[in-house]
Amino acid sequence: GAGVSQSPSNKVTEKGKDVELRCDPISGHTALYWYRQSLGQGLEFLIYFQGNSAPDKSGLPSDRFSAERTGGSVSTLTIQRTQQEDSAVYLCASSFGGRAVDTQYFGPGTRLTVL
Amino acid sequence: GQSLEQPSEVTAVEGAIVQINCTYQTSGFNGLFWYQQHAGEAPTFLSYNVLDGLEEKGRFSSFLSRSKGYSYLLLKELQMKDSASYFCAVGLNTGFQKLVFGTGTRLLVSP
């Protein structure tokens, strides 16, 4: 079946503009995660969804970042008033139930460049 | 807090065996994961250890010692396609699978 998909694959924006990044998880996966990966670095946890609820938003770096999930499926990560330090690859992952034994499957990411 | 350390880069030749180490300090440990990431692609799951010992999956094996806060990924019969970055990640016991990733080890396989 289809894997996790993300759009757009690349986004170039000007400092101060808002951007929306989209994630389509694997069908039937209740858990959805957003991560950020800066060049040459590991993945940094941003937020976790179980269904449409976000029990853990602790990784969002500032109040300019927000995310929502609708219908227990598609999620959107919004960054307002983008800054150059927001430039990174934003990865989405989904898993069947979010439990410790559930494998996270990652999407190809959105590469965000803020000029 | 949590911290994970991995070597930044490892080189090896085709057909050889290579070991990538990961040391960690964490509270609420709930398993150690290894992911592979080819340049420009999504990370893919390789292995999960929650108990001490060695888990073998074909050419890849992963070892965990919880008392030492230590894990390694062993790759045998290296192939050129194994050139990638390898990340260890600690799963935290937070009620859901929350992963904290290391900074990754870049493996370069030469002919």
Side-chain angles (χ1 to χ4, degrees):
Chain A
V4 178
S5 60
Q6 293 185 245
S7 60
S9 55
N10 279 284
K11 178 72 177 179
V12 180
T13 190
E14 293 179 348
K15 179 181 171 181
K17 295 286 179 70
D18 298 352
V19 295
E20 284 190 354
L21 313 179
R22 177 187 168 108
C23 172
D24 281 90
I26 293 172
S27 177
H29 281 192
T30 63
L32 185 147
Y33 305 77
W34 282 98
Y35 295 87
R36 180 168 71 173
Q37 185 174 29
S38 300
L39 188 63
Q41 298 298 308
L43 283 71
E44 174 191 4
F45 169 83
L46 297 179
I47 188 169
Y48 159 71
F49 285 93
Q50 180 58 248
N52 293 335
S53 301
D56 192 331
K57 307 178 184 179
S58 61
L60 295 177
S62 76
D63 58 9
R64 296 186 294 105
F65 287 71
S66 63
E68 65 174 13
R69 189 179 184 194
T70 55
S73 180
V74 172
S75 176
T76 303
L77 177 69
T78 301
I79 309 173
Q80 295 179 309
R81 305 181 302 282
T82 51
Q83 303 294 313
Q84 288 182 333
E85 61 262 27
D86 299 334
S87 295
V89 176
Y90 290 82
L91 291 156
C92 173
S94 71
S95 72
F96 181 71
R99 300 167 301 169
V101 298
D102 292 328
T103 300
Q104 291 188 28
Y105 296 90
F106 283 82
T110 294
R111 181 175 298 278
L112 175 66
T113 303
V114 182
L115 302 176
Chain B
Q2 296 83 31
S3 69
L4 294 92
E5 289 193 10
Q6 302 179 236
S8 58
E9 189 172 289
V10 172
T11 59
V13 296
E14 223 174 351
I17 300 173
V18 73
Q19 178 174 312
I20 300 174
N21 298 321
C22 172
T23 57
Y24 65 89
Q25 288 187 313
T26 186
S27 55
F29 178 86
N30 207 10
L32 193 290
F33 297 77
W34 284 94
Y35 279 81
Q36 178 191 59
Q37 186 179 31
H38 287 97
E41 297 184 10
T44 55
F45 169 79
L46 289 178
S47 68
Y48 168 57
N49 294 66
V50 66
L51 299 175
D52 287 358
L54 188 68
E55 294 279 342
E56 296 187 75
K57 268 189 190 180
R59 295 190 299 115
F60 289 29
S61 303
S62 57
F63 172 83
L64 176 67
S65 169
R66 295 179 65 157
S67 61
K68 295 182 180 177
Y70 169 68
S71 174
Y72 67 74
L73 181 69
L74 193 71
L75 296 82
K76 303 175 187 174
E77 301 167 16
L78 280 175
Q79 302 175 10
M80 297 295 290
K81 67 178 182 180
D82 297 329
S83 292
S85 290
Y86 292 84
F87 294 89
C88 62
V90 169
L92 302 182
N93 186 13
T94 58
F96 69 95
Q97 188 202 80
K98 184 171 184 175
L99 298 180
V100 176
F101 282 81
T103 52
T105 298
R106 188 178 172 202
L107 172 64
L108 302 172
V109 181
S110 58

